[in-house]
């Protein structure tokens, strides 16, 4: 397997709006991040992924970009951004930027031109179609609810938007558009950045005929048209072109967001022989608690599904491509609330999940606040929520007659604002995030859960993350070792072995809040195994090889075989 710096790195994701506000306007900003660089250095992460900071009207918090080469006024200036980049580099950390090029904002200059007339030179930058039978050109739904088309009176045509109506999709089949994107990427790379996280990159190529997704006669309902744009017909051609013309000229890392990708799909993007991306974010693991009705159709997860899913990805990509590892991000609920026990065992379960994140093969991504055990939030009413996806879903489900309580419960469990409440720095007003009024309310638990408290407690989740990150630097097996599942049928414990030469790592994770026993594999019991890290006080290995695991106990043993 090829050794690469981005395989050996740990990435920290920053959602700038909610990280740190330096000027009291209630909105996180670049100078706020600059003021916290030493904190990131203490944690030990290698790379920062910055969610979009470009100019944007913020219909989708920066994922609707109106100027790719300017900074959003609320976040600061290009000079602030430069200070951030230099500050990271001076501390030996790298910076990757979010690349959002499936769509722009409708306030981007290209779109303003495009909507003027059918023969405007920018018309073909976007996907315009005349209506069909007095309706939208096809029956596709948008990811944020409603149709994926918006009617534009000026020219009596519709434009495609897979996300909000303020996020028109770019037409990647137009070579001029691709050139614009590559030039913009080159511009940022020449500023000295270290790579890109690519937003919904596997949606950029659409089947040109844009067929209806539903099979019935148009009945006014909208359907997911994924088969016509997920891993679309020319996506690999475009990514290889991007690689040839831009990325291959720099030593940078790339991670593409790939909705609906299976491991087989993933290998087409990240296969070492493909010259496309270094890794993708897949969503299969994030779907373990979704019912047949999709994301908002909440159901409990099962450990067996988590084990099967992780095992499938670990083994399918091994030696051929590279995994990204994440358990939450700015679009997902908090991992502690979702997979752990935030009430009875916040520390133990948080550490157990951290152990999982850091001991699989792949590059771990930590989402801001995860390292101090931030949790989901329950706002009393929909009025306090800010996320467009959440608000649209609420309206849609209300109109369909779903009970308020059921809708709110889905939001509590799955809503994106769970991850977007302000970072909790200390126990002072507004958790030390701002001296003003935060753009979204602070989670009331900030008095107990905050950075200051975490730094002061040697046994905190934060210090456990720090040790895990350190261990990765000391043991190549954590990065490169092969993975195999053990005790597959154990319905309480997730255990696996990593193998690298004659070294072995055994990871044992009790996924529940009850004591359980676990029989050590014979080779461990026989070897002089060393406990690398665990989330409880050390205990000697039992003679009979039968471990009693305490609630959410995690242990990582290292040993050698001959
Ligand atoms: C995925 C991003 O992570 C999400 O936050 C955004 O809303 C959509 N892509 C659209 O850009």
């Amino acid at each position: 397997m090829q050794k690469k710096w981005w395989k050996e790195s740990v990435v920290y994701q920053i959602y700038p709006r909610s990280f740190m506000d330096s000027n009291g306007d209630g909105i996180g900003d670049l100078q706020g991040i600059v003021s916290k660089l030493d904190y990131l250095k203490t944690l030990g992460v290698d790379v920062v992924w910055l969610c979009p900071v470009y100019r944007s009207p913020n219909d989708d918090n920066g994922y609707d970009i109106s100027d790719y080469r300017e900074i959003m006024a609320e976040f600061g200036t290009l000079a602030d951004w430069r200070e951030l980049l230099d500050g990271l580099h001076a501390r030996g950390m790298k910076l990757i930027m979010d690349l959002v090029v499936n769509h722009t904002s409708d306030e981007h200059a290209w779109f303003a031109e495009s909507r003027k007339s059918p023969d405007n030179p920018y018309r073909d930058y976007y996907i315009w179609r005349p209506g069909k039978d007095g309706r939208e050109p096809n029956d596709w739904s948008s990811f944020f609810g409603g149709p994926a088309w918006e009617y534009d009176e000026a020219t009596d045509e519709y434009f495609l938007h897979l996300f909000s109506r303020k996020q028109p999709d770019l037409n990647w089949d137009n070579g001029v558009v691709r050139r614009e994107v590559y030039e913009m990427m080159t511009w940022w790379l020449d500023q000295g950045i270290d790579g890109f996280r690519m937003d919904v990159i596997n949606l950029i190529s659409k089947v040109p005929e844009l067929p209806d997704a539903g099979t019935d006669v148009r009945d006014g309902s909208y359907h997911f048209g994924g088969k016509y744009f997920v891993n679309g017909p020319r996506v690999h051609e475009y990514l290889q072109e991007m690689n040839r013309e831009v990325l291959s000229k720099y030593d940078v890392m790339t991670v593409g967001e790939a909705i609906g990708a299976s491991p087989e799909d993933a290998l087409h993007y990240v296969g070492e022989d493909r010259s496309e991306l270094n890794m993708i974010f897949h969503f299969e693991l994030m779907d373990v608690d979704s019912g047949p009705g999709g994301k908002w159709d909440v159901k409990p997860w099962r450990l067996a599904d988590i084990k099967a899913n992780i095992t499938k990805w670990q083994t399918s990509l091994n030696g051929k491509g590279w995994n990204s590892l994440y358990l939450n991000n700015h679009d997902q609920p908090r991992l502690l609330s979702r997979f752990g026990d935030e009430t009875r065992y916040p520390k133990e379960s948080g550490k157990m999940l951290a152990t999982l994140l850091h001991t699989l093969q792949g590059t771990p991504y930590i989402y801001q606040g995860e390292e101090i055990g931030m949790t989901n939030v329950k706002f009393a009413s929909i009025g306090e929520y800010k996320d467009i996806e959440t608000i649209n879903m609420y309206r849609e489900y209300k109109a369909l007659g779903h009970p308020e309580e059921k809708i709110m419960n889905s939001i509590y469990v799955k809503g994106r604002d769970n991850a977007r409440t302000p970072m909790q720095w200390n126990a002072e007003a507004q958790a030390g995030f701002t001296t003003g009024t935060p753009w979204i309310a602070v989670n009331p638990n900030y008095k107990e859960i905050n950075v200051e408290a975490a730094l002061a407690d040697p046994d905190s989740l934060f210090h456990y993350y720090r040790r895990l990150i350190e261990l990765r630097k000391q043991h190549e097996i954590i990065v490169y070792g092969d993975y195999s599942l053990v005790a597959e049928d154990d319905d309480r414990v997730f255990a696996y072995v990593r193998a690298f030469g004659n070294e072995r790592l055994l990871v044992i994770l009790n996924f529940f809040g009850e004591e359980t026993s676990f029989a050590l594999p014979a080779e461990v019991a026989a070897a002089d195994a060393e406990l690398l890290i665990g989330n409880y006080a050390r205990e000697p290995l039992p003679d009979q090889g039968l471990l009693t695991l305490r609630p959410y106990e995690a242990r990582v043993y290292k040993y050698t075989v001959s």
Side-chain angles (χ1 to χ4, degrees):
M1 190 179 307
Q2 292 171 8
K3 295 193 174 166
K4 297 280 183 195
W5 63 262
W6 41 265
K7 295 183 178 174
E8 296 168 14
S9 295
V10 175
V11 182
Y12 188 89
Q13 182 192 353
I14 292 185
Y15 195 70
R17 179 163 290 266
S18 302
F19 192 64
M20 180 65 200
D21 174 21
S22 72
N23 62 359
D25 67 357
I27 296 172
D29 48 42
L30 292 169
Q31 281 301 331
I33 304 173
V34 169
S35 72
K36 297 297 183 186
L37 292 181
D38 288 333
Y39 169 72
L40 299 178
K41 189 67 194 164
T42 306
L43 180 58
V45 295
D46 307 284
V47 178
V48 165
W49 152 26
L50 198 59
C51 283
V53 293
Y54 316 96
R55 189 145 295 172
S56 163
N58 283 306
D59 191 51
D60 185 19
N61 286 357
Y63 282 94
D64 47 322
I65 296 169
S66 55
D67 190 335
Y68 287 104
R69 298 181 202 209
E70 284 292 349
I71 300 293
M72 191 190 302
E74 293 159 327
F75 287 175
T77 62
L78 266 174
D80 297 321
W81 177 83
R82 158 77 35 206
E83 208 178 317
L84 169 60
L85 179 70
D86 292 346
L88 283 166
H89 284 170
R91 289 168 180 78
M93 292 182 276
K94 297 183 192 289
L95 178 66
I96 65 173
M97 297 287 280
D98 222 305
L99 182 76
V100 187
V101 289
N102 174 68
H103 44 267
T104 68
S105 162
D106 66 339
E107 297 182 33
H108 193 290
W110 299 338
F111 192 75
E113 284 296 315
S114 182
R115 76 189 326 170
K116 280 185 184 159
S117 79
D119 39 62
N120 186 286
Y122 287 90
R123 186 67 166 185
D124 198 37
Y125 271 45
Y126 296 87
I127 302 173
W128 290 95
R129 291 287 186 281
K132 222 159 87 188
D133 310 325
R135 295 195 64 94
E136 295 85 2
N138 70 22
D139 64 353
W140 294 1
S141 54
S142 125
F143 280 98
F144 292 160
W149 295 93
E150 181 75 0
Y151 178 66
D152 199 50
E153 222 167 280
T155 56
D156 187 30
E157 284 195 333
Y158 292 79
F159 64 85
L160 178 72
H161 61 88
L162 292 182
F163 293 88
S164 99
R165 59 165 66 95
K166 286 184 66 63
Q167 292 168 299
D169 279 53
L170 282 166
N171 175 17
W172 272 74
D173 294 337
N174 180 348
V176 185
V177 168
R178 302 204 298 279
R179 190 102 0 256
E180 293 265 20
V181 171
Y182 302 157
E183 276 171 20
M184 177 270 284
M185 291 172 72
T186 303
W187 187 83
W188 281 102
L189 288 164
D190 288 342
Q191 308 288 318
I193 67 167
D194 305 289
F196 291 108
R197 174 269 185 187
M198 302 186 188
D199 191 65
V200 291
I201 200 68
N202 71 329
L203 309 186
I204 58 175
S205 165
K206 283 91 180 166
V207 170
E209 295 77 24
L210 309 172
D212 279 330
T215 46
D216 303 323
V217 189
R218 290 290 292 282
D219 62 356
S221 61
Y222 303 105
H223 308 276
F224 181 56
K227 55 182 180 248
Y228 301 118
F229 56 76
V230 173
N231 311 316
R234 298 178 71 184
V235 66
H236 296 294
E237 178 192 330
Y238 297 155
L239 287 177
Q240 283 168 16
E241 180 183 76
M242 177 194 283
N243 199 282
R244 213 169 41 242
E245 301 205 3
V246 185
L247 297 166
S248 61
K249 300 180 177 152
Y250 303 83
D251 177 22
V252 292
M253 69 172 269
T254 53
V255 50
E257 191 191 26
I259 288 178
S262 67
E264 294 69 44
D265 299 327
L267 282 172
H268 291 129
Y269 292 98
V270 306
E272 290 191 343
D273 53 343
R274 297 284 300 174
S275 300
E276 294 189 21
L277 302 172
N278 296 145
M279 47 193 139
I280 60 151
F281 291 127
H282 73 81
F283 288 89
E284 287 194 340
L285 188 60
M286 295 292 112
D287 286 337
V288 291
D289 52 3
S290 303
K295 159 172 176 167
W296 301 108
D297 179 15
V298 178
K299 69 166 196 197
W301 52 262
R302 295 181 335 129
L303 180 59
D305 293 338
I306 293 179
K307 287 163 82 160
N309 181 272
I310 289 178
T311 302
K312 181 174 76 172
W313 281 88
Q314 289 285 298
T315 49
S316 308
L317 267 54
N318 187 29
K320 302 183 197 140
W322 195 247
N323 269 295
S324 72
L325 308 167
Y326 74 98
L327 296 171
N328 56 190
N329 62 31
H330 66 295
D331 294 330
Q332 298 291 334
R334 292 281 179 183
L335 83 161
L336 184 57
S337 307
R338 191 179 199 178
F339 300 116
D341 184 337
E342 63 174 56
T343 319
R344 289 191 309 154
Y345 296 105
K347 219 180 223 184
E348 294 80 359
S349 62
K351 289 180 181 177
M352 185 278 288
L353 293 165
T355 312
L356 172 67
L357 177 72
H358 290 271
T359 58
L360 292 166
Q361 190 190 70
T363 300
Y365 288 74
I366 301 170
Y367 178 67
Q368 69 184 39
E370 157 183 349
E371 75 280 14
I372 56 165
M374 282 179 62
T375 66
N376 284 353
V377 71
K378 282 188 178 176
F379 293 140
S381 75
I382 189 67
E384 288 185 74
Y385 286 86
K386 307 289 178 200
D387 169 34
I388 179 169
E389 183 193 49
T390 303
I391 296 168
N392 286 358
M393 172 290 243
Y394 179 88
R395 287 199 193 122
E396 199 169 303
Y397 282 36
K398 269 293 211 205
L400 290 170
H402 290 236
E404 169 85 8
E405 200 189 310
K406 187 157 179 266
I407 304 178
M408 289 311 287
N409 187 57
S410 296
I411 295 175
Y412 293 153
V413 180
K414 287 287 187 77
R416 304 200 296 183
D417 281 338
N418 282 311
R420 299 178 181 186
T421 60
M423 180 76 178
Q424 295 165 201
W425 293 104
N426 56 44
E428 286 156 32
Q430 310 299 0
F433 163 72
T434 180
T435 53
T437 307
W439 70 276
I440 187 170
V442 168
N443 191 317
N445 64 18
Y446 71 93
K447 294 225 159 93
E448 293 78 49
I449 302 172
N450 63 63
V451 168
E452 201 173 281
L455 288 171
D457 171 11
D459 186 42
S460 68
L461 183 60
F462 175 89
H463 288 296
Y464 193 81
Y465 267 83
R466 207 173 47 70
R467 282 166 58 212
L468 283 165
I469 296 168
E470 241 168 52
L471 282 177
R472 187 179 182 83
K473 305 278 175 273
Q474 294 155 1
H475 302 275
E476 265 194 314
I477 185 171
I478 296 183
V479 178
Y480 293 108
D482 297 340
Y483 164 102
S484 53
L485 181 66
V486 295
E488 181 175 353
D489 296 329
D490 194 318
D491 57 6
R492 319 297 299 168
V493 178
F494 187 2
Y496 46 90
V497 170
R498 305 282 308 279
F500 190 65
N502 61 355
E503 287 183 356
R504 296 288 178 275
L505 215 61
L506 170 68
V507 181
I508 308 166
L509 310 168
N510 177 5
F511 245 77
F512 296 92
E514 291 84 38
E515 242 183 47
T516 186
S517 56
F518 181 79
L520 281 177
E523 68 174 24
V524 190
D528 199 8
E530 172 202 358
L531 182 68
L532 268 194
I533 190 165
N535 59 352
Y536 278 87
R538 267 155 215 267
E539 281 200 343
L541 271 182
D543 291 341
Q544 308 305 324
L546 195 67
L547 291 181
T548 301
L549 297 173
R550 291 157 283 191
Y552 292 102
E553 181 156 9
R555 298 192 190 194
V556 181
Y557 288 104
K558 190 174 177 206
Y559 57 99
T560 50
V561 292
S562 45

